[in-house]
Structures are given as C-alpha cells and as structure tokens.
Amino acid sequence: ILIPARADQGAMSTLHRAPCSPVVLLSVVLCWCVAIDCFLSCGGGGVASARADELVPVFNPIVMIPGLASTRLRTWSVVDCPLSAFSFAFGDDVWLSLAMVVGAQSCWLKCISLEPWTQSDIVDGCKLRPDEGLDAISELEPGLITGTLSNVWKSFILTLAELGFEPHGSMYAAPYDFRLPPARLQSRDGYFSRLKQIIESAGNMRGGQQGRFSTATSAVVVAHSQGAHVFRYFLEWLKHEVGSRHYQSWVDTHIN
C-alpha cells in the first residue's frame, strides 16, 4: 500500500502510531485487490478499459543467426567423383551428407574446401552456397535417423511455432556460409545487406499480424556461437552503411 506524498503530516504520524493487526492489514490488501480488478475490468474513471484479450503478452519477431557449421550448404555445380559411385548435382546437400562423407570422402573434402588464400571456390571443384529459410538451420541432414542426429534449431523453431510464431511473419532465419570470414560474407554473398533487410522486414511485417505481434515494431536477434561474432561484425558494418549519425537510431528502431 503506497502512502500519498501529499498526505497530511498529522495523519501520517497518527497512522504510524496506530496499531495494525494482521487481520486488518489483510482486509485492506484484499479490498485494494478487488478495487484494482474492478478498475481494470470495468474501465474505471474514464481510462480506456483493459479487456482480457488486450492483456495477452506481445511477442517481438525473432531473427535467428546460426553458429559454426549450423547451416546447410548445397552445390551449385555438377561434380563427378572418380573411383566412386557418387557424384554431386545441382542442389545436392554437401553439408551435411553422411553418405558422401562415407562413400566418397576425398571428393567430399575437395567439394567442401575453399582456396586457402582467397576463400574463393576451388577451380574444377564444387561451388557451394548456403541454403535459405528456416529449413537451412533446422536439420543439417533431414531423415528418419539423420534428422534427429543433425537437429540444430528444429526444437527451438517448433517451440516458437507452438507460441504462435510463423515463417516470414514473426520468425526468420539468416543462414550463411560458415566457411567464409565476415568480410567475404558481404563481398561474395551480400550477407550483411540481406541481414539488414531481414531485420527491417521483421518489424514491418508485424502490421499484418494479429494479437500478440500486432504492436511489436522491432525484432529480437538470437545469435548462437559463431553467429554472435557475425552479428557483432554486422553492427560494425552497419555504422559505415547508415553512417555514425544514424546508426543508433536504426538500432533503437529495428532491434529490441
């Protein structure tokens, strides 16, 4: 129970001296609780009423940045593996493909490798690019057995789905080629430019949502392991992209 700052000093001294039994104190507390409940349910005193459906917790959209080796990589080239029954075609999984690791190990190692000095694709090797969307970070190799063993973000995504999150509306993934250093992520794939668009879109899309997402205007970024370093690099890149004068304003507007 709060005592008003303008209370009469004489009344204050009387209040402090007066004995207060636990029964009386409990009765006062219960009365206050009933009064507050009535105020909220009945729209007390001209203040806008707070109905039960207006008291539902508001969730911010979530952008997920995976960690090291937590994004599926696919081939964008055709590669024949000599002395093996396997080969790589467009769209095949390389990270991760346990069948290729076991059945064509040398070919798989060459396929997943980059030029050591330039981090560019190996000539006559595989051209790998990260998969897109939530599937890219959910399971590295979907399957009855391999899916469970390669579960990365799937459990987290399913938990969000149970809370009402939806793809492209309130939860987003920002997969990337974890083999690349941060500077190459931008120069080769334009990753930080796309991440900026994803974060901005997450806040803008909330206008089409109802209920828990309708008032959220900024996104919560969930970055794991190496993804945290990638996100920190993104923030430094952002200072140069939007300018130091507008950097803090952009962060305050789009990131919760």
Side-chain angles (χ1 to χ4, degrees):
I1 300 174
L2 300 178
I3 301 176
R6 296 182 181 179
D8 180 76
Q9 295 297 325
M12 289 279 289
S13 60
T14 303
L15 178 63
H16 286 302
R17 290 196 303 267
C20 183
S21 68
V23 176
V24 174
L25 182 59
L26 180 60
S27 300
V28 173
V29 172
L30 290 176
C31 289
W32 271 98
C33 291
V34 172
I36 293 174
D37 181 71
C38 181
F39 180 85
L40 292 176
S41 60
C42 301
V47 180
S49 61
R51 300 191 308 272
D53 58 348
E54 294 176 343
L55 298 178
V56 176
V58 175
F59 293 152
N60 291 75
I62 289 181
V63 177
M64 291 164 274
I65 304 177
L68 177 65
S70 297
T71 295
R72 280 183 11 213
L73 302 180
R74 294 180 179 271
T75 56
W76 286 98
S77 59
V78 177
V79 177
D80 292 324
C81 298
L83 304 178
S84 171
F86 296 94
S87 63
F88 289 108
F90 282 103
D92 283 351
D93 290 335
V94 177
W95 185 263
L96 183 60
S97 174
L98 294 178
M100 296 299 292
V101 172
V102 175
Q105 187 177 39
S106 59
C107 187
W108 179 85
L109 286 173
K110 181 180 179 180
C111 197
I112 202 170
S113 300
L114 294 170
E115 291 289 351
W117 301 112
T118 62
Q119 293 88 44
S120 58
D121 299 314
I122 295 178
V123 178
D124 298 328
C126 280
K127 178 181 180 181
L128 299 188
R129 293 298 181 265
D131 201 356
E132 298 182 352
L134 296 174
D135 285 343
I137 66 172
S138 179
E139 295 175 338
L140 296 180
E141 187 175 13
L144 183 61
I145 298 176
T146 56
T148 302
L149 297 176
S150 63
N151 183 343
V152 186
W153 287 76
K154 183 177 181 179
S155 298
F156 183 73
I157 293 172
L158 291 179
T159 299
L160 293 180
E162 291 175 355
L163 293 173
F165 287 80
E166 298 178 357
H168 308 298
S170 48
M171 61 176 167
Y172 302 79
Y176 60 92
D177 191 337
F178 53 84
R179 303 174 300 162
L180 296 177
R184 287 286 289 153
L185 285 176
Q186 176 62 20
S187 62
R188 195 195 75 176
D189 297 342
Y191 177 75
F192 296 119
S193 298
R194 291 190 293 109
L195 179 57
K196 178 175 178 287
Q197 294 176 354
I198 290 173
I199 294 175
E200 291 173 342
S201 299
N204 294 334
M205 285 295 292
R206 100 284 179 216
Q209 299 289 327
Q210 299 295 326
R212 293 183 174 185
F213 303 95
S214 60
T215 60
T217 59
S218 57
V220 173
V221 177
V222 180
H224 174 253
S225 185
Q226 181 178 312
H229 297 290
V230 171
F231 180 63
R232 292 178 64 183
Y233 192 98
F234 163 75
L235 293 177
E236 294 300 320
W237 170 86
L238 186 67
K239 292 179 182 179
H240 298 279
E241 178 70 13
V242 302
S244 56
R245 295 180 58 184
H246 304 287
Y247 165 77
Q248 194 59 52
S249 174
W250 190 95
V251 171
D252 293 340
T253 300
H254 297 289
I255 299 178
N256 186 282

